[in-house]
Amino acid sequence: MALEITDANFTEMVNNNEGVSVVDFWAPWCGPCKMIGPIIDELHTEYDGKAVIGKVNVDDNPNTSMEFGVRSIPTILVFKNGEIVNKKVGVASKAELQKMIEDAMS
């Protein structure tokens, strides 16, 4: 299961992370989010110890969502050393997300 990232722990888990972080902005009522959710969970397992993979529920964490201008979900942001290096709005395949992570790690 992917990490739960909130307004309260975002700075600690993502901004202060030296390395790659992948954040899925989602909501329980969002159909496309339900499609990508299991992929995010798989990536969390596959990249355990190599990257932080987590999810931000936009309904419960409006401050973080507003800070990054998330207007459509799902939105995937890829960070490296706390800076955004890639972004995907909408559903993405596992292969596409893996490539985004690998690109950020290189």
Side-chain angles (χ1 to χ4, degrees), residues 9-44:
N9 70 12
F10 191 90
T11 297
E12 175 190 340
M13 295 185 75
V14 179
N15 291 342
N16 294 343
N17 179 36
E18 291 185 16
V20 175
S21 304
V22 178
V23 183
D24 172 22
F25 289 84
W26 72 288
W29 47 263
C30 165
C33 298
K34 291 177 186 175
M35 292 169 52
I36 204 167
I39 296 170
I40 297 296
D41 291 339
E42 287 176 27
L43 293 172
H44 170 71

Side-chain angles (χ1 to χ4, degrees), residues 21-80:
S21 304
V22 178
V23 183
D24 172 22
F25 289 84
W26 72 288
W29 47 263
C30 165
C33 298
K34 291 177 186 175
M35 292 169 52
I36 204 167
I39 296 170
I40 297 296
D41 291 339
E42 287 176 27
L43 293 172
H44 170 71
T45 301
E46 290 173 21
Y47 287 92
D48 188 33
K50 299 177 197 163
V52 172
I53 313 280
K55 300 164 89 166
V56 173
N57 182 326
V58 297
D59 291 339
D60 296 339
N61 302 283
N63 295 338
T64 301
S65 304
M66 285 186 345
E67 179 182 345
F68 293 101
V70 174
R71 290 182 174 79
S72 297
I73 53 174
T75 291
I76 310 291
L77 297 181
V78 180
F79 295 80
K80 184 170 186 176

